Amino acid sequence: MRYEFRVTGRLSTAVTDAFPELDRAAVPEETALFGTITDEAHLYGVLVRFQDMGLHVLEMRRLPD
């Protein structure tokens, strides 16, 4: 399953390095992170990392395969 996460602000490389399984794209005033999520546990793990780093997830959506 592929997912996209939109996070408030432009994230530095140091921050996005905490998500090695996700690619990133800067969009106005946000950062889009996207990539393959293997299962539900992996998805929750990514969300916990966002929370632990104090990042605000604006949107999460599953991408077409």
Side-chain angles (χ1 to χ4, degrees):
M1 299 175 286
R2 291 184 46 78
Y3 277 84
E4 176 183 9
F5 306 89
R6 289 196 175 237
V7 180
T8 302
R10 297 220 175 180
L11 303 182
S12 68
T13 301
V15 172
T16 58
D17 284 350
F19 302 92
E21 69 272 62
L22 302 176
D23 295 316
R24 74 175 178 159
V27 293
E29 301 184 24
E30 299 174 4
T31 301
L33 300 163
F34 52 93
T36 301
I37 301 296
T38 55
D39 57 23
E40 191 172 305
H42 185 196
L43 176 61
Y44 285 118
V46 169
L47 294 173
V48 166
R49 275 186 274 161
F50 285 131
Q51 184 177 20
D52 288 348
M53 297 182 80
L55 301 174
H56 182 154
V57 177
L58 297 168
E59 179 182 0
M60 175 187 88
R61 64 186 176 116
R62 187 171 174 189
L63 300 172
D65 291 329

